Amino acid sequence: MTAFARRARASAGRMHPELSLVSYTLLGHLEGSGGCRATDLAAHYALDKSTVSRQVSALEGAGLIARRADPQDQRVQVLDLTPAGREILAQVTARRRDAFRARLEGWPEDDLRRFAAYLR
């Protein structure tokens, strides 16, 4: 699993220069959740708020996420993907899926099922 995680981190940068594995993960969470607060990201991933703040600043500076007021509480800022963020996330996701398919091509079906169960 350590080797798997290292390869995933290394490949994230090759997929898109602005996306570390952490950035990719945060973008994916924002897409899946429809946007959330930075504190929600920190809590969900058990990360320090300062770590999330740095990642959010970098993603915001790259134009991949933007802040919007929470309709329920105007004092709260919600992070959401920009159109550029959605496009880059889709591109990187497609490349990652292709890379995984290529690596797993030829594996017996039983091994694939077992591997998927281990990951879950």
Side-chain angles (χ1 to χ4, degrees):
M1 288 307 293
T2 301
F4 186 77
R6 281 186 189 137
R7 286 188 183 133
R9 276 193 296 275
S11 70
R14 287 192 303 272
M15 299 286 181
H16 194 280
E18 284 145 12
L19 287 188
S20 67
L21 183 60
V22 172
S23 297
Y24 175 76
T25 303
L26 296 180
L27 289 177
H29 185 84
L30 290 174
E31 180 182 52
S33 67
C36 66
R37 300 173 305 164
T39 54
D40 297 331
L41 288 172
H44 182 79
Y45 290 106
L47 294 170
D48 187 77
K49 289 178 188 175
S50 64
T51 301
V52 171
S53 179
R54 282 191 300 276
Q55 293 292 326
V56 164
S57 292
L59 291 170
E60 203 171 16
L64 303 180
I65 65 172
R67 296 173 192 267
R68 62 176 165 81
D70 185 336
Q72 308 301 327
D73 183 348
Q74 296 294 310
R75 299 169 296 171
V76 175
Q77 294 287 306
V78 174
L79 304 171
D80 207 354
L81 296 176
T82 63
R86 288 186 195 288
E87 177 63 28
I88 287 174
L89 182 62
Q91 289 172 5
V92 172
T93 298
R95 288 184 199 145
R96 288 178 61 101
R97 283 187 181 140
D98 290 346
F100 279 114
R101 280 189 189 104
R103 285 188 189 131
L104 300 175
E105 191 174 64
W107 281 34
E109 191 68 30
D110 287 344
D111 289 349
L112 287 170
R113 279 196 199 97
R114 233 183 338 270
F115 183 59
Y118 293 149
L119 291 174
R120 276 191 296 278

